[in-house]
Amino acid sequence: MKTLGINVGSSSVKVVLLEDKKIVLQKVLDHEGNFQETLKQIFIENNIPAGINCLATGTGGRYLLQMNNVIESICIEESLKKYDYTVDAVVSLGGEDFVVYTIDPDGKIINNHSGNKCASGTGEFFKQQLGRMDMTLDDTQHLPEGCKVHPLSSRCSVFMKSDCTHKMNKGEATKGDIVLSLSDVMATKVVDFLKRAKIHQGKVVLAGGVTKNRYITQFVKEKLPDVEFIVPEEASYFEAYGAALLAENSG
């Protein structure tokens, strides 16, 4: 049986196609504000078959799709069922929001903690700054030796952007330095959320597209050494994977 899970995120669309509960296709594409056309592009280019059970999750955009939909937290719980370990929390690192979900021993979400609406330190802000430096996420995977973290005004996205520009224009920081500095700010934000959720030890799953930045996960692990952080293979499409699993009975 084939099932399809769709996650309409704030900046990207994630699609997971399962056959007998095994992933046969996964796609993550930036939608630039037009998720319907992006979704149509994925369907056409990958020959997604008609007549299969589909389930959507994510932002309010899911209501514009003519299919059943469900909130993301239920999809996260379903994804967790596929693993053999028990976790204390899941951190969803999205384009515009970071959310910490605390998990009980039965794998159920008991609470969630999110931050303010300031864009500083979010995935979308990071992507915008990479674009200003003519870099892509792939370019950040292997930075030159000697790059280091610089302090940035992290309370406001406008000040942080100005800080990055000023340091580069003055020759005080390289592109690599800025990548590390922004990654450190994002990691600090994740750690603050976890501390707010009273997570100081145990196991935590990191999910969302931001996990593709290996420096963020590295800094998070360094800042909370008593926590075992897990980045599953399905991290960047975690909610869509859960939706595809649920679609067998709810799609």
Side-chain angles (χ1 to χ4, degrees):
M1 180 180 184
K2 290 184 178 180
T3 59
L4 188 73
I6 299 169
N7 181 16
V8 181
S10 57
S11 59
S12 65
V13 172
K14 300 95 174 173
V15 171
V16 174
L17 179 65
L18 301 181
E19 184 168 4
D20 298 327
K21 297 187 178 181
K22 294 182 179 180
I23 298 175
V24 293
L25 175 73
Q26 53 83 14
K27 290 291 179 181
V28 179
L29 282 184
D30 291 345
H31 57 60
E32 304 295 342
N34 192 345
F35 76 88
Q36 290 164 301
E37 284 301 316
T38 304
L39 193 55
K40 187 185 298 184
Q41 177 186 342
I42 294 174
F43 283 178
I44 293 172
E45 292 181 356
N46 297 281
N47 297 314
I48 303 294
I52 62 176
N53 284 14
C54 303
L55 189 64
T57 188
T59 64
R62 70 182 191 272
Y63 296 114
L64 298 179
L65 303 177
Q66 293 183 352
M67 64 179 67
N68 287 359
N69 67 81
V70 67
I71 59 176
E72 286 183 315
S73 56
I74 295 177
C75 297
I76 289 172
E77 290 178 348
E78 190 67 20
S79 291
L80 286 176
K81 290 180 184 178
K82 300 299 292 183
Y83 303 105
D84 296 329
Y85 43 75
T86 301
V87 302
D88 299 281
V90 174
V91 184
S92 178
L93 305 171
E96 292 184 0
D97 293 299
F98 287 178
V99 183
V100 173
Y101 298 93
T102 51
I103 313 293
D104 70 12
D106 295 322
K108 298 294 184 182
I109 292 173
I110 54 178
N111 209 340
N112 70 76
H113 303 263
S114 58
N116 57 39
K117 295 299 182 181
C118 179
S120 65
T122 63
E124 185 63 21
F125 180 82
F126 181 71
K127 188 178 74 172
Q128 290 173 4
Q129 301 319 301
L130 289 181
R132 296 174 72 236
M133 296 187 293
D134 296 320
M135 296 179 70
T136 66
L137 191 56
D138 289 339
D139 295 330
T140 68
Q141 299 307 303
H142 302 286
L143 297 179
E145 292 287 337
C147 294
K148 59 183 180 180
V149 173
H150 291 256
L152 297 174
S153 301
S154 58
R155 288 185 298 173
C156 171
S157 59
V158 175
F159 292 157
M160 192 188 296
K161 182 169 67 174
S162 298
D163 237 7
C164 295
T165 302
H166 175 79
K167 289 181 183 299
M168 289 190 63
N169 288 344
K170 292 289 187 179
E172 297 174 0
T174 65
K175 291 182 179 180
D177 293 339
I178 296 300
V179 168
L180 285 187
S181 303
L182 290 171
S183 299
D184 184 66
V185 168
M186 297 168 77
T188 300
K189 194 169 188 176
V190 173
V191 170
D192 287 345
F193 285 3
L194 285 169
K195 288 181 177 178
R196 193 183 309 169
K198 296 181 170 57
I199 302 293
H200 302 283
Q201 56 188 7
K203 293 183 179 180
V204 173
V205 167
L206 298 179
V210 174
T211 58
K212 292 180 179 179
N213 181 337
R214 66 186 183 92
Y215 298 105
I216 292 177
T217 57
Q218 173 189 323
F219 290 147
V220 168
K221 292 175 181 178
E222 291 174 356
K223 294 174 189 292
L224 282 179
D226 293 330
V227 175
E228 179 184 347
F229 288 97
I230 302 164
V231 183
E233 186 178 347
E234 301 85 5
S236 61
Y237 46 89
F238 201 68
E239 291 88 348
Y241 177 51
L245 291 168
L246 288 166
E248 181 173 346
N249 297 314
S250 303

